[in-house]
């Protein structure tokens, strides 16, 4: 089991996990509120299965808290997913599963990080999906601003986050040990920076503005395409073929590592399942093989290219690795995706350093619009766990 967002079976597609009030949103809810998290996914094998789910409490760095489920759960320790429907009028047959939590059968008692696990036949060794979700209290105040990097050579490419945390009312015996702050860019765990010590303390305020911390590559706006309809070519679509399977060819991509920033709208790497030609995208949106192609003329030598986005959890796997087509002098890849709007980008891995980096193909600019999530964790005196006590999202344009 991996304590991260991961799908363990190839037949499971279009996994969505978000605050129910807004599809595609960060999966966080307020403890003891009316908010819920929605988990939805499709099983392409086409026959109903007995899927169960539970949640496990974790610390700020996503290690298990080693608590008994009775300490952090109320209701049952696990529950079966009963809400499922068969696809209707689609070439690709599938079953759509959905669950909302907290619910009357299972809900958390403590704030904190939780790993949501879905598994088959009430057997946790048969894992299907794991997703990170967040349950927060409201014991802190957070203020933040985005500024250019303090490093002069990075000022045109990086975005630095300075922020303050107010913890009045909490029993904090040692602010340097009891409070941690996690910062992420666009909800992506691989961008996480952990702040364990403030730069300095002013009364009950913790100030984080050190020269070297929370300095992020701004990146670029994500590339995107639109398959809300398969009846005509929409934005970024070159051709659509419909036969025993739907096939979508995208327009060719070029490197965007240029001298100047160019604004374009994106959804910060996320995706939305939408079908303009149907009534309920959950069950009447079809699947299509989407083909990507990247010009080789601007690709660095000695390395590999991967296709990433929230649709594949930003994972660098063989399924997302681009293959060089010598006849067309292009790198190509394909993915089976449900109808909707998708963001994606290309990541380069140097053969020598083995370090993933999107900048060689996408560029990096201070002007790029990004969301930054700030999560404040607190270990109460004498406790064996860490609680999530504050959350704030900061947008670079607002």
């Amino acid at each position: 089991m991996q304590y991260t967002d991961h799908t363990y079976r190839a037949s499971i597609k279009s996994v969505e996990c978000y605050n129910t009030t807004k599809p595609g949103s960060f999966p966080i809810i307020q403890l003891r509120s009316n908010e819920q998290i929605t988990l939805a996914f499709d099983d392409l094998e086409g026959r109903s299965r007995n899927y169960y789910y539970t949640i496990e409490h974790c610390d700020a760095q996503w290690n298990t808290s080693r608590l008994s489920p009775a300490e952090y759960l109320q209701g049952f320790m696990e529950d079966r997913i009963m809400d499922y429907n068969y696809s209707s009028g689609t070439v690709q047959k599938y079953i759509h599963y959905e669950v909302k939590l907290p619910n009357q059968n299972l809900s958390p008692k403590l704030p904190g990080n939780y790993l949501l696990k879905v598994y088959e036949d009430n057997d946790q060794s048969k894992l299907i999906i794991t997703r990170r979700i967040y349950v927060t209290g409201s014991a802190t105040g957070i203020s933040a601003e985005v500024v250019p990097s303090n490093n002069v050579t990075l000022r045109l490419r990086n975005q630095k986050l300075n922020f303050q945390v107010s913890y009045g009312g909490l029993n904090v015996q040692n602010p340097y040990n009891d409070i941690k702050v996690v910062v992420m860019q666009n909800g992506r765990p691989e961008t996480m920076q952990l702040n364990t010590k403030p730069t300095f303390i002013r009364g009950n305020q913790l100030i984080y503005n050190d020269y070297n911390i929370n300095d992020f590559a701004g990146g670029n706006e994500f590339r995107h395409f639109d398959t809300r309809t398969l009846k005509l070519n929409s934005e970024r679509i070159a051709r659509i073929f419909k036969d025993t399977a739907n096939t979508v060819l995208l327009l060719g991509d070029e490197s965007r590592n240029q001298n100047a920033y160019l604004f374009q709208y994106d959804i910060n790497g996320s995706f939305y399942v939408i079908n303009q030609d149907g009534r309920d995208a959950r069950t009447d949106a079809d699947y299509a093989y989407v083909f990507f192609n990247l010009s080789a003329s601007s690709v660095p030598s000695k390395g590999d290219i991967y296709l990433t986005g929230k649709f594949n959890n930003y994972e660098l796997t063989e399924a997302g690795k681009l293959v060089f087509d010598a006849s067309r002098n292009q790198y190509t890849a394909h993915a089976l995706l449900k109808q909707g709007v998708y963001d994606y980008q290309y990541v380069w891995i140097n053969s020598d350093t083995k370090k993933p980096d999107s900048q060689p193909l996408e560029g990096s600019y201070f002007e790029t619009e990004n969301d930054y999530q700030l999560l404040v964790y607190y270990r109460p005196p004498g406790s064996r766990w860490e609680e999530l006590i504050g959350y704030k999202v900061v947008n670079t344009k607002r």
Side-chain angles (χ1 to χ4, degrees):
M1 185 178 70
Q2 302 180 30
Y3 282 78
T4 185
D5 293 350
H6 190 67
T7 303
Y8 297 81
R9 186 174 291 177
S11 62
I12 303 299
K13 298 288 186 181
S14 305
V15 182
E16 299 176 273
C17 186
Y18 55 87
N19 185 304
T20 305
T21 58
K22 182 182 179 183
S25 59
F26 192 65
I28 189 168
I29 57 172
Q30 190 83 22
L31 184 66
R32 288 184 286 273
S33 70
N34 293 325
E35 293 181 306
Q36 288 182 301
I37 284 175
T38 294
L39 175 73
F41 61 93
D42 295 339
D43 187 346
L44 272 54
E45 289 193 357
R47 65 183 181 89
S48 61
R49 296 177 178 273
N50 297 319
Y51 288 137
Y52 289 77
Y53 67 95
T54 189
I55 55 177
E56 180 180 351
H57 195 280
C58 300
D59 64 16
Q61 295 171 272
W62 289 99
N63 303 304
T64 178
S65 297
R66 301 191 181 280
L67 299 176
S68 164
E71 296 181 82
Y72 59 81
L73 287 179
Q74 56 187 13
F76 298 106
M77 301 298 102
E78 59 185 359
D79 191 22
R80 183 180 174 186
I81 300 178
M82 302 298 294
D83 184 2
Y84 62 92
N85 292 281
Y86 290 83
S87 61
S88 170
T90 58
V91 174
Q92 172 65 60
K93 303 303 179 185
Y94 59 88
I95 301 176
H96 178 79
Y97 293 84
E98 193 168 304
V99 65
K100 291 181 173 64
L101 68 150
N103 52 51
Q104 61 182 0
N105 293 330
L106 189 150
S107 61
K109 292 194 293 188
L110 298 175
N113 290 347
Y114 284 88
L115 188 72
L116 172 57
K117 297 180 280 188
V118 179
Y119 43 93
E120 189 177 359
D121 296 333
N122 202 19
D123 183 354
Q124 292 198 28
S125 67
K126 297 181 179 180
L127 271 175
I128 305 299
I129 298 166
T130 50
R131 284 295 183 275
R132 292 178 172 183
I133 64 174
Y134 305 81
V135 180
T136 181
S138 55
T140 62
I142 308 170
S143 60
E145 63 174 350
V146 178
V147 299
S149 173
N150 289 327
N151 187 331
V152 176
T153 62
L154 299 175
R155 289 181 71 85
L156 298 179
R157 300 200 300 269
N158 279 25
Q159 298 169 342
K160 187 181 187 312
L161 203 67
N162 295 328
F163 58 91
Q164 303 176 10
V165 175
S166 302
Y167 61 89
L170 284 179
N171 181 14
V172 179
Q173 298 177 347
N174 185 348
Y176 288 97
N177 289 329
D178 297 346
I179 292 180
K180 299 175 182 178
V181 184
V182 166
V183 183
M184 287 187 291
Q185 185 187 77
N186 297 325
R188 300 174 58 178
E190 71 273 18
T191 67
M192 183 182 81
Q193 294 193 24
L194 178 65
N195 295 261
T196 56
K197 289 180 170 45
T199 307
F200 58 91
I201 301 174
R202 181 194 302 139
N204 62 359
Q205 284 189 332
L206 308 180
I207 314 298
Y208 297 83
N209 60 4
D210 187 81
Y211 178 91
N212 295 311
I213 62 175
N214 304 309
D215 202 347
F216 294 81
N220 203 345
E221 311 297 351
F222 281 81
R223 306 173 192 259
H224 64 277
F225 64 91
D226 183 347
T227 56
R228 286 178 288 182
T229 178
L230 296 177
K231 293 182 178 180
L232 52 87
N233 295 354
S234 54
E235 188 177 11
R236 298 288 307 151
I237 306 300
R239 295 193 63 181
I240 299 174
F241 300 93
K242 301 187 73 172
D243 195 354
T244 55
N246 298 311
T247 302
V248 175
L249 303 182
L250 299 184
L251 294 174
D253 288 320
E254 300 278 348
S255 171
R256 299 190 300 165
N257 189 6
Q258 310 296 331
N259 292 327
Y261 165 77
L262 178 63
F263 173 77
Q264 67 178 25
Y265 287 102
D266 70 352
I267 48 178
N268 289 336
S270 190
F271 69 95
Y272 298 117
V273 173
I274 309 172
N275 179 17
Q276 287 183 333
D277 305 318
R279 304 176 67 178
D280 187 349
R282 294 176 299 177
T283 54
D284 63 20
D286 212 339
Y287 277 81
Y289 288 95
V290 180
F291 283 79
F292 303 80
N293 60 90
L294 174 68
S295 172
S297 60
S298 52
V299 172
S301 59
K302 295 180 62 179
D304 296 310
I305 307 168
Y306 291 84
L307 174 72
T308 67
K310 192 173 181 179
F311 66 90
N312 67 0
N313 305 320
Y314 299 98
E315 293 178 328
L316 306 179
T317 64
E318 283 299 313
K321 185 177 179 180
L322 274 70
V323 178
F324 180 63
D325 184 345
S327 64
R328 295 189 296 163
N329 196 33
Q330 291 179 334
Y331 286 87
T332 64
H334 70 274
L336 182 61
L337 301 173
K338 201 173 185 178
Q339 282 182 263
V341 179
Y342 287 80
D343 272 7
Y344 68 98
Q345 67 177 5
Y346 296 111
V347 173
W348 170 260
I349 296 185
N350 186 286
S351 299
D352 297 326
T353 64
K354 304 299 182 183
K355 182 180 178 180
D357 187 4
S358 64
Q359 184 172 324
L361 295 171
E362 304 292 356
S364 183
Y365 309 94
F366 171 75
E367 298 91 343
T368 302
E369 182 269 329
N370 289 307
D371 284 332
Y372 287 93
Q373 288 80 20
L374 289 85
L375 302 136
V376 182
Y377 296 88
Y378 165 65
R379 183 179 291 273
S383 68
R384 296 178 291 118
W385 65 87
E386 291 177 336
E387 299 182 353
L388 176 58
I389 58 169
Y391 168 73
K392 186 179 182 64
V393 60
V394 179
N395 184 274
T396 58
K397 298 294 186 184
R398 295 192 294 272

